Amino acid sequence: MSEPQKRRPAWRPFVHAGRVLILVAIALIIHLAATLHAPAHDGPAPVLDIAIVQKLFPTADHVADDGTVKDAANATLGRVLQTSPAGDKAIGFSGPTNVLIGFSTAEKISGLAILSSRDTREHAREVERHAPFLHSLDGLTRDEAIRQTDIDAVSGATLTSLAMIEAVQRRLGGGQKSLKFPDLPKLGIVRKLFPAAQSLEPDEIYPSLLIVKNGDATSLGKILRTSPAADNLVGYQGPTEMLVGLDNQDIIIGMALVRSYDNEPYIDYVREDEYFLNLLNGQSIYALPETDLRELQIEGVSGATMTSQTAATGVYYAADDMLQSYLARNKADEKDQIRLRERDYKTIAVVIVGVLLAFSPWRGKPWARIPFQIVVFVYLGFANGDFVSQALLVGWAQNGVPWKLAIGLVLLVGAALALPIFTRTNVYCSHLCPHGVVQQWTKRRIKWQWKPSKKLLPWLKAIPSVLLAWVVLVAAARWSFSLVDIEPFDAYVWHIAGWGTIGVAVVGLVASLFTPMAYCRFGCPTGALLDYVRYNGKSEFWTRRDWVAVGLLALGAVALLF
């Protein structure tokens, strides 16, 4: 009778899952490192560089705290806004871009400029060189820019440029802060409309709409400030801020005057006129912008006609501005939904065909394999520049996944990562990587071939692990090194590629002429990562590669802490 078979340890099936968890943990460290150094979404905008402001206003000398651009004689040239941190949710190829928006004195956009970018260096640089794109919104008002949809993206930096426009629209869709009436109204004035008011809470979408609460934090209604929407309406000598009281159904219940730049006693005449202050009662604030002011026949307060009529007009301005802000936010929410473009449809089709081919008996047939390789090389490589790279993966780990801008690319990365884990097949490296395709074409094309010695082979195989360690260190420590330079993939988008990535591409392809798949075997950190998580016959055993992965995790943790 044969000896009983040795029972397999119960923990072995979990070894492979542990590898995936190590990868997730490294991604979380990279994300945490980026989060700790990123500006808060409700924090101050980064400090402006006057040299960049001068790209939009060549004679600019300084920028005031409110964004007003002045020349050396202190004359106003216009104003600027920057999209960060409000627009940082707009992720391009691998991260957000902080865009400077210039406005003329007529409140028309006069140009865009890049202040800083967490996107790939080459993509941001290509956008900077593309003047027609940076001036594609020129002459538009804030509302027109928000509604703009027909944008010509920058070739080679499509995702980066589209994300920049999204960041601009997100920034312009937010509320503006008043410079003439910067302070919240006092509770004493608010209590003229809501006697039980104890606190005010700005609305998330339109900050000039204040939620009024009692001592139990129960909503009593809302207060709409006419500032800053009506700050440019001048009565006798200046603007007036009014409060419009709204019940919980957004019906007007009264008005109150807060402060005015007009003269006494005109202000008191308006402040004490009950008929005027209750003139709009019973109307929906959302229906007000559609009403013709002449229909209401507002004659104004006797003795303060100009002040009161201007104050009433300001209510209409504020109601319209609030409505437009809500409509703009709805458009921004629509942008958050996944939208397929022609580029996405094509990329998704290539990915699906590649996956089906990888698992079909036709995968080795030249009549099926070669035409598909040509499609991958031309479309994913040169037309789109769609590669799974360390720069891309790190950028997404740091800033988030651009679901709505690049769902096709997201599907490509998802297939690259998930299929090796669950199917044992590294579909990306074998079928969907354009650089892998080129190496398959160059394999054994010359007679003389070089085979590494047994002593040299382990050192060559260690190169991808060393590169992965460098990637983790750069990402976790937030160093400024561009990770595109360690891989050849940006070389396919040749008009934006740097010399580092071109050099890696050329050396790798020349080496593949003498050693089959040289770069894939001895130089590719992304391929090594995908191969590490690939399920195979040895996946239940803890190996030296696992210790390397644990070392990378520890390296990332140390870089994060120090």
Side-chain angles (χ1 to χ4, degrees), residues 67-129:
T68 303
V69 181
K70 306 273 191 176
D71 63 13
N74 213 36
T76 299
L77 303 175
R79 68 183 179 96
V80 289
L81 293 174
Q82 50 185 310
T83 60
S84 182
D88 286 351
K89 291 183 179 179
I91 307 299
F93 183 77
S94 63
T97 298
N98 186 17
V99 183
L100 187 69
I101 314 166
F103 284 88
S104 68
T105 53
E107 284 300 304
K108 301 284 184 72
I109 292 178
S110 57
L112 308 177
I114 293 179
L115 281 171
S116 61
S117 181
R118 300 208 300 271
D119 212 325
T120 306
R121 178 192 61 199
E122 282 75 12
H123 292 87
R125 187 172 58 196
E126 182 66 12
V127 174
E128 284 186 307
R129 293 195 295 231

Side-chain angles (χ1 to χ4, degrees), residues 61 158 239 241 299 394 434 477 530:
D61 179 72
T158 301
E241 181 182 21
E299 297 179 359
V394 167
L530 297 178

